[in-house]
Amino acid sequence: HARVKGRGAYLTGPLARYALNFDRLPPAIQAEARAAGLGPVVRNPVRDAAAIDAMPDRDVNAELNYVFRGIQMTLHDLAGYVPLIGFAGGPFTVASYMVEGGSSKELAKLKGLMFSNPNAYHRLLEKLSAITGAYLCEQIRQGVHAVTIMDSWAGYLSPKDYREFVQPHTRSVIAYVKAQFPNVPVVHYANGAPTLLDDFVKLGVDVVGLDWR
């Protein structure tokens, strides 16, 4: 965000210009992938059981400390003007970048892992779910007023595949956050997934985001 001086504090640029209801952290998928030791453009993608099992355990607080400092700075700038919403990519969406090596419209490599070696796939999603849950909880500790889980690519799956390969992991993240912060709202959003809305309602979130489709 650009920072604009006003009202005795620094407000983020769009808020200083428009009458918005809240501010949200920018997309955090790169941060989560970094916490797993990778990034959204991955030179060495994780595509088999050996690579998944070799992923080291990471300290989210240490790896993503710059994000948490950013939260503190943003809250200071907002000075209570509007709430700040935290953000994380859903485990499935983060996995898509790590397996595909970058953005993909087909998710062929991720689906290949999913169907050819489901045990390895679920181990990867379990690792990412743990990172995502810890990441969101630390955002809340730092002061965000709500959190969003954005599973951008969930709409690329059929309802049956979503329920088997994605929903349990997303639900585990939400349960982890809610166990520690039951009164903090959790929002879920997936792009272009109207066939999955009933499944999203069953995740245990407080808000299900919609798009025009």
Side-chain angles (χ1 to χ4, degrees), residues 1-6 9-20 22-24 74 77-78 81-82:
H1 291 105
R3 297 195 342 180
V4 180
K5 195 171 184 178
Y10 286 93
L11 299 180
T12 53
L15 287 171
R17 183 172 298 179
Y18 305 107
L20 303 178
F22 62 89
D23 196 11
R24 192 194 75 184
T74 302
D77 291 355
L78 292 172
Y81 182 53
V82 291

PDB file of all heavy atoms in Angstrom, residues 1-6 9-20 22-24 74 77-78 81-82:
ATOM      1  N   HIS A   1       0.829  -1.188   0.000  1.00  0.00           N
ATOM      2  CA  HIS A   1       0.000   0.000   0.000  1.00  0.00           C
ATOM      3  C   HIS A   1       0.874   1.253   0.000  1.00  0.00           C
ATOM      4  O   HIS A   1       1.865   1.313   0.700  1.00  0.00           O
ATOM      5  CB  HIS A   1      -0.886   0.035   1.237  1.00  0.00           C
ATOM      6  CG  HIS A   1      -1.949  -0.997   1.231  1.00  0.00           C
ATOM      7  ND1 HIS A   1      -1.905  -2.124   2.005  1.00  0.00           N
ATOM      8  CD2 HIS A   1      -3.107  -1.073   0.547  1.00  0.00           C
ATOM      9  CE1 HIS A   1      -2.980  -2.849   1.803  1.00  0.00           C
ATOM     10  NE2 HIS A   1      -3.718  -2.245   0.925  1.00  0.00           N
ATOM     11  N   ALA A   2       0.449   2.262  -0.748  1.00  0.00           N
ATOM     12  CA  ALA A   2       1.058   3.572  -0.604  1.00  0.00           C
ATOM     13  C   ALA A   2       0.584   4.169   0.708  1.00  0.00           C
ATOM     14  O   ALA A   2      -0.522   3.902   1.161  1.00  0.00           O
ATOM     15  CB  ALA A   2       0.650   4.476  -1.770  1.00  0.00           C
ATOM     16  N   ARG A   3       1.434   4.970   1.333  1.00  0.00           N
ATOM     17  CA  ARG A   3       1.047   5.550   2.611  1.00  0.00           C
ATOM     18  C   ARG A   3       0.837   7.040   2.447  1.00  0.00           C
ATOM     19  O   ARG A   3       1.669   7.749   1.900  1.00  0.00           O
ATOM     20  CB  ARG A   3       2.107   5.252   3.669  1.00  0.00           C
ATOM     21  CG  ARG A   3       2.200   3.768   3.895  1.00  0.00           C
ATOM     22  CD  ARG A   3       2.923   3.302   5.116  1.00  0.00           C
ATOM     23  NE  ARG A   3       3.801   4.222   5.778  1.00  0.00           N
ATOM     24  CZ  ARG A   3       4.475   3.882   6.861  1.00  0.00           C
ATOM     25  NH1 ARG A   3       4.355   2.676   7.345  1.00  0.00           N
ATOM     26  NH2 ARG A   3       5.273   4.722   7.449  1.00  0.00           N
ATOM     27  N   VAL A   4      -0.283   7.523   2.924  1.00  0.00           N
ATOM     28  CA  VAL A   4      -0.674   8.916   2.760  1.00  0.00           C
ATOM     29  C   VAL A   4      -0.886   9.519   4.131  1.00  0.00           C
ATOM     30  O   VAL A   4      -1.628   8.978   4.952  1.00  0.00           O
ATOM     31  CB  VAL A   4      -1.976   9.036   1.930  1.00  0.00           C
ATOM     32  CG1 VAL A   4      -2.367  10.498   1.769  1.00  0.00           C
ATOM     33  CG2 VAL A   4      -1.798   8.374   0.567  1.00  0.00           C
ATOM     34  N   LYS A   5      -0.225  10.643   4.394  1.00  0.00           N
ATOM     35  CA  LYS A   5      -0.329  11.252   5.709  1.00  0.00           C
ATOM     36  C   LYS A   5      -1.667  11.953   5.862  1.00  0.00           C
ATOM     37  O   LYS A   5      -2.131  12.646   4.981  1.00  0.00           O
ATOM     38  CB  LYS A   5       0.813  12.245   5.918  1.00  0.00           C
ATOM     39  CG  LYS A   5       0.998  12.669   7.370  1.00  0.00           C
ATOM     40  CD  LYS A   5       2.268  13.472   7.523  1.00  0.00           C
ATOM     41  CE  LYS A   5       2.515  13.812   8.987  1.00  0.00           C
ATOM     42  NZ  LYS A   5       3.764  14.552   9.166  1.00  0.00           N
ATOM     43  N   GLY A   6      -2.302  11.777   7.011  1.00  0.00           N
ATOM     44  CA  GLY A   6      -3.571  12.447   7.258  1.00  0.00           C
ATOM     45  C   GLY A   6      -4.170  11.986   8.561  1.00  0.00           C
ATOM     46  O   GLY A   6      -3.869  10.908   9.056  1.00  0.00           O
ATOM     47  N   ALA A   9      -2.141  10.431  11.421  1.00  0.00           N
ATOM     48  CA  ALA A   9      -1.532   9.109  11.281  1.00  0.00           C
ATOM     49  C   ALA A   9      -1.320   8.846   9.800  1.00  0.00           C
ATOM     50  O   ALA A   9      -1.707   9.633   8.950  1.00  0.00           O
ATOM     51  CB  ALA A   9      -2.431   8.028  11.888  1.00  0.00           C
ATOM     52  N   TYR A  10      -0.683   7.737   9.490  1.00  0.00           N
ATOM     53  CA  TYR A  10      -0.494   7.337   8.104  1.00  0.00           C
ATOM     54  C   TYR A  10      -1.563   6.314   7.742  1.00  0.00           C
ATOM     55  O   TYR A  10      -1.615   5.230   8.313  1.00  0.00           O
ATOM     56  CB  TYR A  10       0.890   6.726   7.911  1.00  0.00           C
ATOM     57  CG  TYR A  10       1.988   7.746   7.924  1.00  0.00           C
ATOM     58  CD1 TYR A  10       2.651   8.058   9.107  1.00  0.00           C
ATOM     59  CD2 TYR A  10       2.354   8.413   6.762  1.00  0.00           C
ATOM     60  CE1 TYR A  10       3.662   9.002   9.122  1.00  0.00           C
ATOM     61  CE2 TYR A  10       3.362   9.356   6.772  1.00  0.00           C
ATOM     62  CZ  TYR A  10       4.011   9.647   7.947  1.00  0.00           C
ATOM     63  OH  TYR A  10       5.002  10.581   7.959  1.00  0.00           O
ATOM     64  N   LEU A  11      -2.423   6.675   6.802  1.00  0.00           N
ATOM     65  CA  LEU A  11      -3.443   5.746   6.329  1.00  0.00           C
ATOM     66  C   LEU A  11      -2.996   5.157   5.009  1.00  0.00           C
ATOM     67  O   LEU A  11      -2.308   5.806   4.225  1.00  0.00           O
ATOM     68  CB  LEU A  11      -4.780   6.481   6.134  1.00  0.00           C
ATOM     69  CG  LEU A  11      -5.394   7.122   7.384  1.00  0.00           C
ATOM     70  CD1 LEU A  11      -6.705   7.790   7.014  1.00  0.00           C
ATOM     71  CD2 LEU A  11      -5.618   6.084   8.470  1.00  0.00           C
ATOM     72  N   THR A  12      -3.389   3.932   4.761  1.00  0.00           N
ATOM     73  CA  THR A  12      -3.051   3.333   3.478  1.00  0.00           C
ATOM     74  C   THR A  12      -3.736   4.107   2.360  1.00  0.00           C
ATOM     75  O   THR A  12      -4.837   4.620   2.524  1.00  0.00           O
ATOM     76  CB  THR A  12      -3.482   1.856   3.448  1.00  0.00           C
ATOM     77  OG1 THR A  12      -4.838   1.767   3.803  1.00  0.00           O
ATOM     78  CG2 THR A  12      -2.624   1.020   4.388  1.00  0.00           C
ATOM     79  N   GLY A  13      -3.072   4.153   1.199  1.00  0.00           N
ATOM     80  CA  GLY A  13      -3.514   5.007   0.104  1.00  0.00           C
ATOM     81  C   GLY A  13      -4.978   4.902  -0.275  1.00  0.00           C
ATOM     82  O   GLY A  13      -5.692   5.907  -0.297  1.00  0.00           O
ATOM     83  N   PRO A  14      -5.512   3.710  -0.593  1.00  0.00           N
ATOM     84  CA  PRO A  14      -6.923   3.604  -0.982  1.00  0.00           C
ATOM     85  C   PRO A  14      -7.876   4.092   0.106  1.00  0.00           C
ATOM     86  O   PRO A  14      -8.911   4.676  -0.185  1.00  0.00           O
ATOM     87  CB  PRO A  14      -7.102   2.107  -1.247  1.00  0.00           C
ATOM     88  CG  PRO A  14      -5.740   1.625  -1.599  1.00  0.00           C
ATOM     89  CD  PRO A  14      -4.802   2.431  -0.756  1.00  0.00           C
ATOM     90  N   LEU A  15      -7.529   3.850   1.360  1.00  0.00           N
ATOM     91  CA  LEU A  15      -8.408   4.284   2.442  1.00  0.00           C
ATOM     92  C   LEU A  15      -8.426   5.800   2.572  1.00  0.00           C
ATOM     93  O   LEU A  15      -9.424   6.382   2.986  1.00  0.00           O
ATOM     94  CB  LEU A  15      -7.958   3.661   3.768  1.00  0.00           C
ATOM     95  CG  LEU A  15      -8.250   2.172   3.902  1.00  0.00           C
ATOM     96  CD1 LEU A  15      -7.571   1.629   5.143  1.00  0.00           C
ATOM     97  CD2 LEU A  15      -9.739   1.926   3.969  1.00  0.00           C
ATOM     98  N   ALA A  16      -7.291   6.428   2.251  1.00  0.00           N
ATOM     99  CA  ALA A  16      -7.247   7.882   2.324  1.00  0.00           C
ATOM    100  C   ALA A  16      -8.059   8.510   1.192  1.00  0.00           C
ATOM    101  O   ALA A  16      -8.498   9.643   1.293  1.00  0.00           O
ATOM    102  CB  ALA A  16      -5.794   8.355   2.249  1.00  0.00           C
ATOM    103  N   ARG A  17      -8.276   7.739   0.119  1.00  0.00           N
ATOM    104  CA  ARG A  17      -8.967   8.282  -1.055  1.00  0.00           C
ATOM    105  C   ARG A  17     -10.428   7.898  -1.108  1.00  0.00           C
ATOM    106  O   ARG A  17     -11.271   8.676  -1.563  1.00  0.00           O
ATOM    107  CB  ARG A  17      -8.252   7.800  -2.319  1.00  0.00           C
ATOM    108  CG  ARG A  17      -8.830   8.358  -3.613  1.00  0.00           C
ATOM    109  CD  ARG A  17      -7.958   7.986  -4.801  1.00  0.00           C
ATOM    110  NE  ARG A  17      -6.618   8.557  -4.680  1.00  0.00           N
ATOM    111  CZ  ARG A  17      -5.657   8.369  -5.588  1.00  0.00           C
ATOM    112  NH1 ARG A  17      -5.890   7.619  -6.649  1.00  0.00           N
ATOM    113  NH2 ARG A  17      -4.482   8.904  -5.412  1.00  0.00           N
ATOM    114  N   TYR A  18     -10.749   6.669  -0.649  1.00  0.00           N
ATOM    115  CA  TYR A  18     -12.126   6.169  -0.782  1.00  0.00           C
ATOM    116  C   TYR A  18     -12.695   5.810   0.582  1.00  0.00           C
ATOM    117  O   TYR A  18     -11.967   5.460   1.507  1.00  0.00           O
ATOM    118  CB  TYR A  18     -12.161   4.936  -1.690  1.00  0.00           C
ATOM    119  CG  TYR A  18     -11.547   5.172  -3.040  1.00  0.00           C
ATOM    120  CD1 TYR A  18     -10.303   4.625  -3.365  1.00  0.00           C
ATOM    121  CD2 TYR A  18     -12.193   5.948  -4.001  1.00  0.00           C
ATOM    122  CE1 TYR A  18      -9.731   4.843  -4.607  1.00  0.00           C
ATOM    123  CE2 TYR A  18     -11.621   6.172  -5.239  1.00  0.00           C
ATOM    124  CZ  TYR A  18     -10.393   5.612  -5.541  1.00  0.00           C
ATOM    125  OH  TYR A  18      -9.826   5.837  -6.763  1.00  0.00           O
ATOM    126  N   ALA A  19     -14.008   5.814   0.691  1.00  0.00           N
ATOM    127  CA  ALA A  19     -14.689   5.476   1.945  1.00  0.00           C
ATOM    128  C   ALA A  19     -14.891   3.968   2.019  1.00  0.00           C
ATOM    129  O   ALA A  19     -15.994   3.455   1.817  1.00  0.00           O
ATOM    130  CB  ALA A  19     -16.023   6.208   2.040  1.00  0.00           C
ATOM    131  N   LEU A  20     -13.827   3.233   2.290  1.00  0.00           N
ATOM    132  CA  LEU A  20     -13.886   1.775   2.365  1.00  0.00           C
ATOM    133  C   LEU A  20     -14.231   1.334   3.783  1.00  0.00           C
ATOM    134  O   LEU A  20     -14.023   2.062   4.758  1.00  0.00           O
ATOM    135  CB  LEU A  20     -12.542   1.174   1.945  1.00  0.00           C
ATOM    136  CG  LEU A  20     -12.059   1.570   0.542  1.00  0.00           C
ATOM    137  CD1 LEU A  20     -10.703   0.942   0.261  1.00  0.00           C
ATOM    138  CD2 LEU A  20     -13.067   1.151  -0.520  1.00  0.00           C
ATOM    139  N   PHE A  22     -13.059  -1.584   5.245  1.00  0.00           N
ATOM    140  CA  PHE A  22     -11.995  -2.331   5.901  1.00  0.00           C
ATOM    141  C   PHE A  22     -10.753  -2.268   5.041  1.00  0.00           C
ATOM    142  O   PHE A  22     -10.794  -1.857   3.881  1.00  0.00           O
ATOM    143  CB  PHE A  22     -12.404  -3.803   6.118  1.00  0.00           C
ATOM    144  CG  PHE A  22     -12.664  -4.560   4.841  1.00  0.00           C
ATOM    145  CD1 PHE A  22     -11.629  -5.217   4.196  1.00  0.00           C
ATOM    146  CD2 PHE A  22     -13.939  -4.616   4.291  1.00  0.00           C
ATOM    147  CE1 PHE A  22     -11.863  -5.909   3.014  1.00  0.00           C
ATOM    148  CE2 PHE A  22     -14.177  -5.306   3.113  1.00  0.00           C
ATOM    149  CZ  PHE A  22     -13.139  -5.944   2.476  1.00  0.00           C
ATOM    150  N   ASP A  23      -9.637  -2.710   5.621  1.00  0.00           N
ATOM    151  CA  ASP A  23      -8.398  -2.886   4.873  1.00  0.00           C
ATOM    152  C   ASP A  23      -8.014  -4.349   4.985  1.00  0.00           C
ATOM    153  O   ASP A  23      -8.332  -5.012   5.973  1.00  0.00           O
ATOM    154  CB  ASP A  23      -7.292  -2.002   5.448  1.00  0.00           C
ATOM    155  CG  ASP A  23      -6.111  -1.853   4.488  1.00  0.00           C
ATOM    156  OD1 ASP A  23      -6.250  -2.261   3.321  1.00  0.00           O
ATOM    157  OD2 ASP A  23      -5.069  -1.337   4.899  1.00  0.00           O
ATOM    158  N   ARG A  24      -7.351  -4.873   3.953  1.00  0.00           N
ATOM    159  CA  ARG A  24      -6.956  -6.276   3.959  1.00  0.00           C
ATOM    160  C   ARG A  24      -5.499  -6.392   3.594  1.00  0.00           C
ATOM    161  O   ARG A  24      -4.994  -5.652   2.740  1.00  0.00           O
ATOM    162  CB  ARG A  24      -7.798  -7.076   2.961  1.00  0.00           C
ATOM    163  CG  ARG A  24      -7.650  -8.587   3.114  1.00  0.00           C
ATOM    164  CD  ARG A  24      -8.215  -9.338   1.933  1.00  0.00           C
ATOM    165  NE  ARG A  24      -7.331  -9.233   0.778  1.00  0.00           N
ATOM    166  CZ  ARG A  24      -7.618  -9.732  -0.421  1.00  0.00           C
ATOM    167  NH1 ARG A  24      -8.754 -10.323  -0.627  1.00  0.00           N
ATOM    168  NH2 ARG A  24      -6.763  -9.601  -1.420  1.00  0.00           N
ATOM    169  N   THR A  74       0.764  -1.448   9.718  1.00  0.00           N
ATOM    170  CA  THR A  74      -0.518  -1.108   9.107  1.00  0.00           C
ATOM    171  C   THR A  74      -1.544  -0.726  10.168  1.00  0.00           C
ATOM    172  O   THR A  74      -2.294   0.249  10.007  1.00  0.00           O
ATOM    173  CB  THR A  74      -1.038  -2.283   8.266  1.00  0.00           C
ATOM    174  OG1 THR A  74      -0.063  -2.619   7.268  1.00  0.00           O
ATOM    175  CG2 THR A  74      -2.352  -1.931   7.572  1.00  0.00           C
ATOM    176  N   ASP A  77      -0.850   2.668  11.256  1.00  0.00           N
ATOM    177  CA  ASP A  77      -1.279   3.640  10.248  1.00  0.00           C
ATOM    178  C   ASP A  77      -2.794   3.817  10.246  1.00  0.00           C
ATOM    179  O   ASP A  77      -3.308   4.919  10.074  1.00  0.00           O
ATOM    180  CB  ASP A  77      -0.820   3.204   8.856  1.00  0.00           C
ATOM    181  CG  ASP A  77       0.690   3.287   8.683  1.00  0.00           C
ATOM    182  OD1 ASP A  77       1.362   3.770   9.606  1.00  0.00           O
ATOM    183  OD2 ASP A  77       1.178   2.856   7.619  1.00  0.00           O
ATOM    184  N   LEU A  78      -3.517   2.705  10.419  1.00  0.00           N
ATOM    185  CA  LEU A  78      -4.982   2.774  10.404  1.00  0.00           C
ATOM    186  C   LEU A  78      -5.532   3.504  11.625  1.00  0.00           C
ATOM    187  O   LEU A  78      -6.586   4.146  11.548  1.00  0.00           O
ATOM    188  CB  LEU A  78      -5.577   1.366  10.336  1.00  0.00           C
ATOM    189  CG  LEU A  78      -5.361   0.600   9.030  1.00  0.00           C
ATOM    190  CD1 LEU A  78      -5.836  -0.841   9.182  1.00  0.00           C
ATOM    191  CD2 LEU A  78      -6.087   1.277   7.880  1.00  0.00           C
ATOM    192  N   TYR A  81      -9.130   3.310  12.313  1.00  0.00           N
ATOM    193  CA  TYR A  81     -10.031   3.894  11.318  1.00  0.00           C
ATOM    194  C   TYR A  81     -10.994   2.854  10.750  1.00  0.00           C
ATOM    195  O   TYR A  81     -12.199   3.094  10.640  1.00  0.00           O
ATOM    196  CB  TYR A  81      -9.194   4.526  10.213  1.00  0.00           C
ATOM    197  CG  TYR A  81      -9.959   5.221   9.117  1.00  0.00           C
ATOM    198  CD1 TYR A  81     -10.909   6.197   9.405  1.00  0.00           C
ATOM    199  CD2 TYR A  81      -9.702   4.923   7.785  1.00  0.00           C
ATOM    200  CE1 TYR A  81     -11.595   6.848   8.399  1.00  0.00           C
ATOM    201  CE2 TYR A  81     -10.377   5.562   6.763  1.00  0.00           C
ATOM    202  CZ  TYR A  81     -11.322   6.536   7.076  1.00  0.00           C
ATOM    203  OH  TYR A  81     -11.997   7.178   6.065  1.00  0.00           O
ATOM    204  N   VAL A  82     -10.472   1.692  10.378  1.00  0.00           N
ATOM    205  CA  VAL A  82     -11.274   0.557   9.910  1.00  0.00           C
ATOM    206  C   VAL A  82     -10.601  -0.723  10.388  1.00  0.00           C
ATOM    207  O   VAL A  82      -9.418  -0.718  10.740  1.00  0.00           O
ATOM    208  CB  VAL A  82     -11.387   0.526   8.356  1.00  0.00           C
ATOM    209  CG1 VAL A  82     -12.220   1.674   7.840  1.00  0.00           C
ATOM    210  CG2 VAL A  82     -10.009   0.486   7.716  1.00  0.00           C
TER     211      VAL A  82
END
